Amino acid sequence: MTRFPAVAALVLVAAIALTGCSNAAGSSDSTAEAPAREGLSEALPQGVPEGGVTGAATDADDTRSVISTATLSVTVDDPIAAADDAIVLVERAGGRVDNRSEAPATDDLGRTSSLVVRVPATDLTEFLSAVKELGETEYETITSTDVTAQTTDLESRISALDTSVTRLLDLLSRATDTGDLIELETALSTRQAELESLRAQQRGLADQVALATVSVDFGTDATAPVDRPQDFFSGLVLGSEALAAFFGALLIGAGVVLPWLIVPAMMGTVLVVVLRRRGARRRSAEGPAADPAAARAVPSAAPTTAPPGTGSTTMEG
């Protein structure tokens, strides 16, 4: 009675052992054939979406990226010397000069100088205060542009492309088919070019965030903007200056026109004198008869003969 359960148990153990061996063999075969079944579409990455990797969380207070720009116009006695002083301030702040231009003085305007400098964004306020001490500030503008989203997007896309390039390099080292090698190399070149372009954009953006751009214009009182009158007396002063400028311009215009009037007047006077002398010579050559005035001045002679029918009567005594 006890032999049948023992035999059944032995059969069950043997069946379990055989099943385990077959599963192990199947698993080993699947693992060995996995690289062969892996298609090229699975090997090639699908790229990085334009919006970046979703789910990237950043701390707005710690990773906020801001591009700062400022523009200044300062009236000074010597614009060239003021520009030199401003460059010294830039060097002290650890910045650099991107552009410098100077214009010579003209009849209407004095000398001017312009600078475009880059200073650390953390020292922007201190630098602007130092520049404004060089003269009288005419106007000042400061602009801040938040590029945190753009910075985060670039970081995500660069990270994804970097991973993609690493996978392609690994697949390229294990590929044996010529067609697969060509396709992998093409995809790798494209990914590497995109990665370098994004890294260049990231470097440029990081430079704009780290260094603020400041444009400074130095000029004299002649180039300074005209102050608008704020009350009656300032308006009176401005009106007087405008009136004086008007008469000054009028005198200048008269001085310009006067030579053009004098020369024709002199020529006309000479012509009149010549014509008069020529007429006098002609009249003197023709004699008094030709002169109607002289003819009228000669008196008529009295008749010497009496009219017919008249005579003198002598009375004799």
Side-chain angles (χ1 to χ4, degrees), residues 234-274:
S234 59
L236 183 61
V237 172
L238 183 61
S240 302
E241 294 176 353
L243 184 61
F246 171 76
F247 281 107
L250 189 62
L251 290 176
I252 293 174
V256 173
V257 175
L258 187 60
W260 295 89
L261 297 178
I262 293 177
V263 173
M266 294 177 62
M267 294 177 63
T269 303
V270 172
L271 182 61
V272 170
V273 171
V274 171

Side-chain angles (χ1 to χ4, degrees), residues 81-92:
D84 294 336
D85 295 338
I87 291 176
V88 173
L89 296 175
V90 172
E91 294 175 350
R92 289 179 182 176

Side-chain angles (χ1 to χ4, degrees), residues 158-175:
I158 288 173
S159 178
L161 275 176
D162 197 9
T163 303
S164 175
V165 169
T166 303
R167 291 177 57 193
L168 285 172
L169 289 173
D170 180 63
L171 292 173
L172 189 62
S173 64
R174 294 187 290 111

Side-chain angles (χ1 to χ4, degrees), residues 25-276:
S27 175
S28 176
D29 294 340
S30 299
T31 304
E33 295 176 358
R37 294 197 306 268
E38 184 179 5
L40 190 59
S41 59
E42 297 180 359
L44 294 178
Q46 299 301 319
V48 183
E50 293 296 331
V53 178
T54 58
T58 58
D59 189 352
D61 295 334
D62 296 336
T63 62
R64 188 170 178 264
S65 300
V66 178
I67 297 177
S68 300
T69 57
T71 303
L72 281 177
S73 177
V74 184
T75 299
V76 295
D77 295 333
D78 188 351
I80 308 304
D84 294 336
D85 295 338
I87 291 176
V88 173
L89 296 175
V90 172
E91 294 175 350
R92 289 179 182 176
R96 67 174 188 265
V97 178
D98 284 354
N99 186 28
R100 176 175 181 173
S101 60
E102 299 175 358
T106 61
D107 295 337
D108 299 330
L109 300 177
R111 301 178 67 181
T112 59
S113 179
S114 300
L115 293 176
V116 178
V117 300
R118 305 290 303 280
V119 296
T122 55
D123 299 332
L124 177 60
T125 303
E126 182 179 356
F127 174 76
L128 294 178
S129 300
V131 172
K132 287 187 287 187
E133 292 179 357
L134 299 176
E136 181 181 357
T137 304
E138 301 296 341
Y139 67 85
E140 175 186 8
T141 59
I142 301 176
T143 305
S144 299
T145 304
D146 194 333
V147 293
T148 304
Q150 186 177 353
T151 303
T152 304
D153 177 69
L154 282 174
E155 292 175 353
S156 301
R157 297 175 66 186
I158 288 173
S159 178
L161 275 176
D162 197 9
T163 303
S164 175
V165 169
T166 303
R167 291 177 57 193
L168 285 172
L169 289 173
D170 180 63
L171 292 173
L172 189 62
S173 64
R174 294 187 290 111
T176 57
D177 184 72
T178 303
D180 294 347
L181 285 172
I182 294 174
E183 191 169 355
L184 284 169
E185 289 177 352
T186 302
L188 180 61
S189 299
T190 303
R191 295 296 189 275
Q192 287 177 337
E194 293 177 359
L195 183 59
E196 289 301 322
S197 176
L198 291 178
R199 283 176 176 171
Q201 296 179 32
Q202 187 183 42
R203 289 192 296 269
L205 192 62
D207 180 73
Q208 294 180 15
V209 172
L211 297 177
T213 303
V214 182
S215 301
V216 186
D217 295 329
F218 293 104
T220 60
D221 292 332
T223 61
V226 179
D227 296 332
R228 296 182 178 180
Q230 303 295 330
D231 51 25
F232 173 77
F233 294 101
S234 59
L236 183 61
V237 172
L238 183 61
S240 302
E241 294 176 353
L243 184 61
F246 171 76
F247 281 107
L250 189 62
L251 290 176
I252 293 174
V256 173
V257 175
L258 187 60
W260 295 89
L261 297 178
I262 293 177
V263 173
M266 294 177 62
M267 294 177 63
T269 303
V270 172
L271 182 61
V272 170
V273 171
V274 171
L275 292 176
R276 286 184 178 181

